[in-house]
Amino acid sequence: MHIAVAGNIGSGKTTLTKMLARRYGWTPRFEPVDNNPYLSDFYADMSRWSFNLQIYFLNKRFREVVEISKSKDYIIQDRTIFEDAKIFAPNLHDGGFMSDRDFDNYTDLFDLMMSLVKLPDLMIYIRSSVPNLVAQIAKRGREYEQSIRIDYLEGLNKRYEEWIETFKGNLIIVDGDHVKFEASLADFQTITDQIDSRLYGLFPMEDTDK
């Protein structure tokens, strides 16, 4: 079983992934951030390092998806391969940080990978406004994130919403501005109640979150 958590930078994906892994006994797979050899360079010079960074993420996440598909465990994944290709890479390309040549190369590789994988059994998307994202990023204090521009986050948010509108799989949307799952047990339970219904209910709910 493959459960995935999606959302913009600072939306709380890792926190929710950890909480759900503990709650259900699922195996967590976390986004490769701290050991990423490109991330600091990317935030310092996005044009120079955007292609390298996106290929790094694509490689890591495709490997994860293949491993998950072969596993019989319940696995919850922090960020998905779809976000890299549908949100981050196009946003960099449109912003002039990735050349047409590099973007076409990246897209061809992603399309090949997609012919070999399937959608997660459940996607959990944390929707969050830019002010909330900025507050969360400042709170966690990662040095390399302090140079992230507001317009960059706004562009990502726009692409997330466009992607979610077209997502065809099993989907739960969490209002990250108002559902404070880290601080409130009741708020966290609103998420687990939806998960229980989608994955374990006798009659799984229709997708009414869009």
Side-chain angles (χ1 to χ4, degrees):
M1 179 74 72
H2 181 192
I3 301 95
V5 181
N8 205 343
I9 302 166
S11 61
K13 297 181 304 299
T14 300
T15 297
L16 185 58
T17 298
K18 291 178 179 178
M19 293 176 69
L20 292 174
R22 288 195 299 266
R23 164 66 175 79
Y24 290 100
W26 294 339
T27 301
R29 293 288 190 103
F30 295 108
E31 183 180 13
V33 172
D34 294 335
N35 296 322
N36 189 315
Y38 295 106
L39 208 52
S40 295
D41 289 331
F42 167 74
Y43 285 129
D45 188 349
M46 295 169 70
S47 296
R48 166 63 182 86
W49 295 103
S50 62
F51 180 72
N52 307 69
L53 178 73
Q54 290 307 124
I55 289 295
Y56 175 86
F57 278 130
L58 192 64
N59 173 48
K60 292 291 185 182
R61 269 188 266 277
F62 181 65
R63 185 184 301 273
E64 282 189 340
V65 170
V66 171
E67 292 173 355
I68 290 170
S69 69
K70 295 178 180 178
S71 175
K72 295 182 179 180
D73 295 335
Y74 278 70
I75 295 175
I76 183 166
Q77 183 185 25
D78 174 5
R79 183 164 281 159
T80 70
I81 193 171
F82 305 99
E83 292 165 84
D84 288 307
K86 298 299 184 181
I87 294 156
F88 285 89
N91 191 63
L92 289 168
H93 175 247
D94 287 352
F97 299 111
M98 187 184 295
S99 70
D100 292 344
R101 178 181 60 181
D102 285 345
F103 182 67
D104 290 344
N105 187 8
Y106 176 90
T107 302
D108 285 346
L109 180 58
F110 172 76
D111 289 342
L112 174 61
M113 291 175 171
M114 287 303 94
S115 68
L116 303 172
V117 301
K118 64 177 184 177
L119 292 175
D121 297 287
L122 177 64
M123 179 74 73
I124 303 169
Y125 168 56
I126 305 174
R127 172 180 283 149
S128 184
S129 66
V130 170
N132 189 53
L133 296 174
V134 170
Q136 291 293 100
I137 290 169
K139 180 180 177 181
R140 66 190 186 189
R142 293 173 180 166
E143 184 177 351
Y144 57 79
E145 290 182 341
Q146 302 312 303
S147 61
I148 297 177
R149 300 197 323 241
I150 298 296
D151 62 336
Y152 179 65
L153 290 174
E154 289 173 342
L156 293 178
N157 249 12
K158 180 176 181 292
R159 289 196 173 275
Y160 265 106
E161 291 302 314
E162 292 171 349
W163 170 60
I164 285 299
E165 282 296 318
T166 62
F167 185 76
K168 302 300 183 183
N170 195 9
L171 174 67
I172 291 172
I173 297 178
V174 175
D175 182 349
D177 286 6
H178 300 100
V179 179
K180 301 300 182 182
F181 49 83
E182 182 178 9
S184 168
L185 180 60
D187 283 0
F188 180 57
Q189 188 171 341
T190 65
I191 299 173
T192 60
D193 285 349
Q194 293 181 74
I195 293 172
D196 290 344
S197 180
R198 293 294 178 90
L199 295 183
Y200 307 115
L202 182 60
F203 301 104
M205 293 190 302
E206 293 295 325
D207 187 0
T208 58
D209 294 304
K210 293 184 180 180

